[in-house]
Amino acid sequence: MSVKITNKEQVQSLLGQYDYFLFDCDGVLWLGDHLLPHVPETLNLLKEHRKTVIFVTNNSTKSRDDYLKKFQKLGISGITKDEVFGSSYASAVYIDKILKLPKEKKVWVLGEEGIEKELKELGYTTVGGSDPVLVQDGVAFDPEHPHLVELDEDVGAVLAGLTLNLNYLKLSITMQYLLKDNKSLPFIATNIDSTFPSKGKLLIGAGSIIETVAFASGRQPDAVCGKPNQSMMNSIKADNPGLRETPKRGLMIGDRLNTDMKFGRDGGLDTLLVLTGIETEENVLKQPKDVAPTYYASKLGDLYDFCN
Ligand SMILES: O=C(O)[C@H](O)[C@H](O)COP(=O)(O)O
Ligand SMILES: [Mg+2]
């Protein structure tokens, strides 16, 4: 049964029990560009208690460098690139280190600049993504569009993630690459989140976009690199031996049961779910014991509020 955090004593107990605090971003720290209450104050409280703070997001629209700029813009200081893990970075590392795609091969991207930047930082050339030639604003769909009829023979993999600039042309070209050469091109997904939390409502998530081309092409992704996949957890543990040796000194804080809470649980950490994103208190309370979060709270800022 999950324990709701409602008082100072519980927060002080958390501060004594955990050294590593892993944070999901969308729905925990912010909703879009709207910072949630007392997030900077809570992060500062943890830093004052000499806690290790790490950010792990499935939102592939931004690169790690982009997230550093977003943290600064929202008044969250002192964050370094090696404290930020995103599904765009995890996917680029997968293509480089696990798939071992040769650098002379290109990657077709259904997604935004976060994916393109992380792939380019590893030396890959991308096609698709934010290319303005794929914008359809007010232009009728052309089944003879050059990108649709002449696929780039140098493309060696497809990487799909969240894009807020989706259109029929981008979906159709992605589908051609997924069908190409008897469906042999590797199909990589950044994450499976079905919805995207926005202020007061749920929007279409990466998982639902990816499911569109999966359903149309009759293929499922060969790999999903974001949470709950443990690749980012393994990278975090490689950088933090204390967490690797004693995962129970770690607490994963997120807003989604099937990604954040599973990611933390599968990594051996305790978990805290906040109700500012995807999940409702009713849904948390009906979770079976083996998947219920260790704790839950109305919002992350409660950790600060109850201490002051
Ligand atoms: O649709 C998506 O990709 C996700 O909803 C979203 O971006 C998740 O980001 P996170 O909560 O992992 O920071
Ligand atoms: Mg989230």
Side-chain angles (χ1 to χ4, degrees):
M1 176 74 168
S2 303
V3 173
K4 187 167 188 177
I5 302 297
T6 56
N7 62 57
K8 183 173 184 175
E9 288 66 34
Q10 287 174 311
V11 177
Q12 287 174 332
S13 168
L14 291 183
L15 292 172
Q17 194 172 345
Y18 303 106
D19 301 322
Y20 303 87
F21 288 73
L22 277 58
F23 288 97
D24 170 44
C25 299
D26 288 337
V28 176
L29 306 180
W30 51 59
L31 290 167
D33 287 331
H34 170 75
L35 192 63
L36 288 164
H38 288 154
V39 165
E41 294 86 347
T42 304
L43 298 177
N44 289 335
L45 173 71
L46 295 175
K47 294 255 180 179
E48 283 158 18
H49 284 77
R50 311 177 69 76
K51 303 301 179 184
T52 299
V53 170
I54 293 165
F55 302 93
V56 201
T57 178
N58 272 1
N59 187 323
S60 61
T61 61
K62 287 180 171 58
S63 64
R64 289 163 297 156
D65 287 331
D66 293 333
Y67 276 110
L68 293 182
K69 293 188 191 102
K70 181 166 184 175
F71 279 118
Q72 282 294 345
K73 194 176 93 179
L74 293 175
I76 300 173
S77 57
I79 310 297
T80 58
K81 188 167 179 175
D82 59 2
E83 292 168 340
V84 181
F85 292 80
S87 63
S88 49
Y89 174 58
S91 303
V93 168
Y94 174 87
I95 288 172
D96 184 22
K97 303 287 185 219
I98 309 296
L99 194 62
K100 298 187 185 337
L101 184 73
K103 296 292 167 60
E104 55 274 14
K105 301 300 279 180
K106 296 175 186 174
V107 181
W108 170 265
V109 174
L110 176 63
E112 299 198 8
E113 286 192 353
I115 293 177
E116 295 170 311
K117 287 177 181 175
E118 294 288 7
L119 282 168
K120 283 171 185 161
E121 195 168 312
L122 290 180
Y124 287 106
T125 302
T126 63
V127 283
S130 60
D131 185 342
V133 80
L134 300 176
V135 172
Q136 273 190 294
D137 292 353
V139 176
F141 170 71
D142 175 8
E144 298 307 311
H145 188 286
H147 269 55
L148 198 53
V149 294
E150 277 173 48
L151 300 184
D152 186 327
E153 288 304 320
D154 291 333
V155 167
V158 173
L159 177 51
L162 179 62
T163 173
L164 311 184
N165 302 303
L166 188 63
N167 65 34
Y168 189 74
L169 176 61
K170 292 177 182 179
L171 290 170
S172 302
I173 299 170
T174 303
M175 181 178 171
Q176 304 318 304
Y177 281 110
L178 293 177
L179 296 175
K180 185 170 182 290
D181 301 339
N182 197 23
K183 301 187 177 183
S184 63
L185 282 188
F187 176 15
I188 315 302
T190 59
N191 58 300
I192 50 149
D193 300 57
S194 56
T195 55
F196 175 46
S198 178
K199 213 175 161 195
K201 54 187 168 304
L202 294 180
L203 300 177
I204 299 285
S208 299
I209 293 170
I210 291 160
E211 195 53 38
T212 301
V213 292
F215 182 61
S217 64
R219 292 185 63 178
Q220 282 301 312
D222 303 308
V224 179
C225 301
K227 298 167 287 181
N229 184 311
Q230 289 295 301
S231 64
M232 288 195 282
M233 182 67 79
N234 295 336
S235 300
I236 292 164
K237 286 180 175 176
D239 296 347
N240 295 277
L243 181 65
R244 184 173 62 244
E245 281 136 36
T246 48
K248 278 299 175 199
R249 298 294 300 176
L251 183 65
M252 175 70 203
I253 301 173
D255 71 305
R256 183 184 281 273
L257 288 164
N258 69 335
T259 55
D260 305 321
M261 298 297 100
K262 181 169 171 43
F263 178 73
R265 189 172 61 248
D266 289 357
L269 282 66
D270 282 346
T271 54
L272 188 157
L273 186 124
V274 293
L275 300 174
T276 43
I278 303 292
E279 305 292 354
T280 61
E281 184 163 18
E282 180 198 6
N283 195 30
V284 171
L285 294 175
K286 65 184 177 186
Q287 294 304 311
K289 190 173 180 306
D290 60 329
V291 299
T294 318
Y295 315 97
Y296 73 101
S298 299
K299 64 181 187 304
L300 174 61
D302 284 353
L303 301 189
Y304 170 79
D305 293 344
F306 292 136
C307 281
N308 291 276

